[in-house]
Amino acid sequence: MTLEGKRILLGLTGGVAAYKSAELARALVKAGCDVRAVLTESATRFVGAATLQALTGQTAWLDLWDPRVANQMAHIELSRDRDLIVIAPASADFLAKVANGLADDLLSTLVLARRCPLLVAPAMNVEMWSNPATRRNLLTLQDDGVSIAGPASGDQACGESGLGRMREPAELLDDIEAFFQPKLLAGKRVLVTAGPTEEPIDPVRVITNASSGKMGFAVARAAREAGAEVTLVTGPVSLAAPQGATRIDVRTAAEMFDAVKAAVAGCDVFVAVAAVSDYRVAHPAAQKVKRGAHRTWRLDLVENPDILAWVAKRPRAPFCVGFAAESEKLGEHARAKRRRKGIPLLAANLAQEALGADDNALTLFDDRGEHPLGRGPKIEQARKLIAHVAALMAAQGRRR
Ligand code: CTP
């Protein structure tokens, strides 16, 4: 599910990060949302209503007593047709108001009178963020079911540094998209492996597989969006872990195996996306092997353990999903691999079509046959995979 057609009320409160919300408004509109902006009086000190109006293509609202809304009921009417209210930036003062049910201007009144969910993106000075009063207010908001996106850490406009920066517009767009995903794996624990492994030959040389980690990270993100608790064990990649996932960095297949063994107990789902090196060098050199040391260099390779097969064979094994990147005969190899590994679901693609790309075309293989997902961004493929996993698990549960 994308953001196409979603109706968002974007509220801006007083903070220098308000200028970034103009960018967020633009990104939401580009994603197909209907965006209605409401600004507090202090927000207008940082960004003009005309900017939001131009970017959203709609009136930006400021005043509780705006006569353009029927019956002077702006505080009710403006949120009734909305799917979500997003407050970005949400100042410390505004969060305090919402936590305590205060309603003394248009935006706080709209929030108090809302029927739709609320997501806030806090932005404030680091001391304001850590002040016990703000901590208390945040706990109250969480108890009240308000979603909280961020804040991030870093340099602040005031010259200080620490937690309190608003998340970047692109990150907030991801948060909003995540908010709308069905919570198909709520309460479940999901373990994902991603990326390549590196097997040392000597201190500077490795044997590795070509893998960007993008598909594995997308699966971890989709599982998080579906409400799962996610642990992501990853080989060396240059990607940021999805918000809220526990990331464990490893290098070799042996390290990945150890990390999986340590994390797998109590997991409901295991998705092995990693391109694990099937072999490692039997005796890696302690020092760099110099040019000319061998006329013909032969390496002895020994087999690495099959992590997925090991997990699948455990007593009370989690629901196991394998991945296969093949170069030919996709269906034939995928069906054989699923049987060999003893797993209920395998996702396969042609390696040459997916490697390093942002798109993929997965086919899922399970007991009922094969299910092509069509071509699309890896995150959308990952969401479809997670939906398929949830459906198979629900069917398993019904059969038990
Ligand atoms: N896998 C694993 N541990 C390994 C090798 C593979 O957990 N040592 C997992 C991968 O993460 C993937 C699946 O097994 O989910 C299939 O990986 P692949 O390398 O395609 O399978 P192999 O059994 O190595 O088969 P092939 O002969 O095609 O190399």
Side-chain angles (χ1 to χ4, degrees):
M1 192 201 293
T2 63
L3 288 174
E4 182 76 43
K6 291 282 180 248
R7 287 160 302 190
I8 311 279
L9 191 147
L10 178 62
L12 290 79
T13 72
V16 62
Y19 81 92
K20 291 190 190 173
S21 297
E23 177 109 26
L24 175 61
R26 189 171 169 274
L28 285 167
V29 169
K30 213 170 149 205
C33 296
D34 174 296
V35 182
R36 180 176 294 153
V38 177
L39 292 84
T40 64
E41 205 270 317
S42 342
T44 61
R45 310 247 168 180
F46 297 95
V47 62
T51 305
L52 271 304
Q53 210 145 289
L55 292 171
T56 61
Q58 306 190 24
T59 308
W61 303 87
L62 308 168
D63 185 4
L64 193 52
W65 305 108
D66 198 310
R68 286 170 297 177
V69 182
N71 235 353
Q72 296 211 317
M73 289 288 183
H75 65 294
I76 310 280
E77 295 296 319
L78 293 179
S79 82
R80 275 298 168 264
D81 66 344
R82 300 289 99 181
D83 298 307
L84 176 68
I85 297 180
V86 177
I87 308 290
S91 65
D93 175 68
F94 194 80
L95 292 176
K97 271 195 200 167
V98 179
N100 290 287
L102 298 183
D104 63 354
D105 61 6
L106 177 58
L107 189 56
S108 54
T109 315
L110 275 165
V111 166
L112 192 64
R114 78 185 183 281
R115 283 192 192 135
C116 64
L118 172 65
L119 185 148
V120 297
M124 64 195 73
N125 164 271
V126 55
E127 299 302 342
M128 290 169 115
W129 175 251
S130 55
N131 189 292
T134 306
R135 315 273 10 110
R136 272 198 306 278
N137 291 335
L138 260 298
L139 288 177
T140 304
L141 292 171
Q142 266 162 348
D143 282 349
D144 291 348
V146 174
S147 302
I148 297 159
S153 188
D155 291 342
Q156 303 200 308
C158 54
E160 295 181 3
S161 181
L163 264 179
R165 281 168 61 97
M166 188 171 85
R167 273 166 67 72
E168 294 301 322
E171 295 170 327
L172 288 176
L173 191 72
D174 287 350
D175 295 336
I176 295 167
E177 209 170 49
F179 178 88
F180 285 112
Q181 298 309 315
K183 304 299 167 220
L184 298 170
L185 293 181
K188 302 278 190 230
R189 290 177 58 190
V190 176
L191 178 61
V192 180
T193 63
T197 62
E198 280 183 356
E199 312 299 326
I201 297 171
D202 69 18
V204 299
R205 298 184 178 92
V206 296
I207 293 179
T208 190
N209 285 331
S211 166
S212 66
K214 285 179 183 172
M215 194 64 229
F217 277 58
V219 169
R221 179 176 152 195
R224 270 298 296 154
E225 290 176 348
E229 196 183 303
V230 175
T231 303
L232 173 61
V233 177
T234 177
V237 294
S238 50
L239 295 172
Q243 175 91 344
T246 303
R247 175 184 185 142
I248 302 170
D249 285 291
V250 296
R251 186 173 177 225
T252 63
E255 284 172 21
M256 185 170 276
F257 194 24
D258 286 345
V260 166
K261 280 184 193 159
V264 75
C267 277
D268 303 287
V269 182
F270 176 54
V271 193
V273 197
V276 186
S277 177
D278 286 329
Y279 293 89
R280 67 178 180 278
V281 177
H283 305 289
Q287 302 303 331
K288 184 180 174 191
V289 177
K290 304 304 283 181
R291 177 194 285 275
H294 306 277
R295 283 250 307 214
T296 306
W297 189 0
R298 289 202 172 78
L299 289 171
D300 275 338
L301 302 179
V302 290
E303 218 176 333
N304 273 327
D306 187 329
I307 302 170
L308 174 57
W310 180 86
V311 173
K313 279 199 200 86
R314 274 170 60 88
R316 288 195 307 280
F319 185 95
C320 286
V321 184
F323 264 73
E326 304 294 343
S327 59
E328 55 164 2
K329 300 181 191 155
L330 188 71
E332 196 180 307
H333 286 315
R335 279 187 290 274
K337 200 168 277 186
R338 190 173 84 87
R339 271 196 306 278
R340 199 167 67 238
K341 308 236 177 196
I343 53 175
L345 183 61
L346 185 122
N349 59 258
L350 287 170
Q352 55 273 31
E353 287 188 2
L355 211 83
D358 291 321
D359 272 24
N360 201 354
L362 288 176
T363 302
L364 306 185
F365 295 83
D366 62 17
D367 283 345
R368 287 178 303 154
E370 56 188 87
H371 316 271
L373 299 186
R375 175 162 284 279
K378 286 183 175 171
I379 181 61
E380 279 171 26
Q381 301 268 309
R383 286 179 186 142
K384 288 180 188 169
L385 171 71
I386 291 295
H388 200 87
V389 168
L392 289 180
M393 286 174 78
Q396 251 182 12
R398 278 197 296 276
R399 276 203 302 275
R400 265 186 200 143

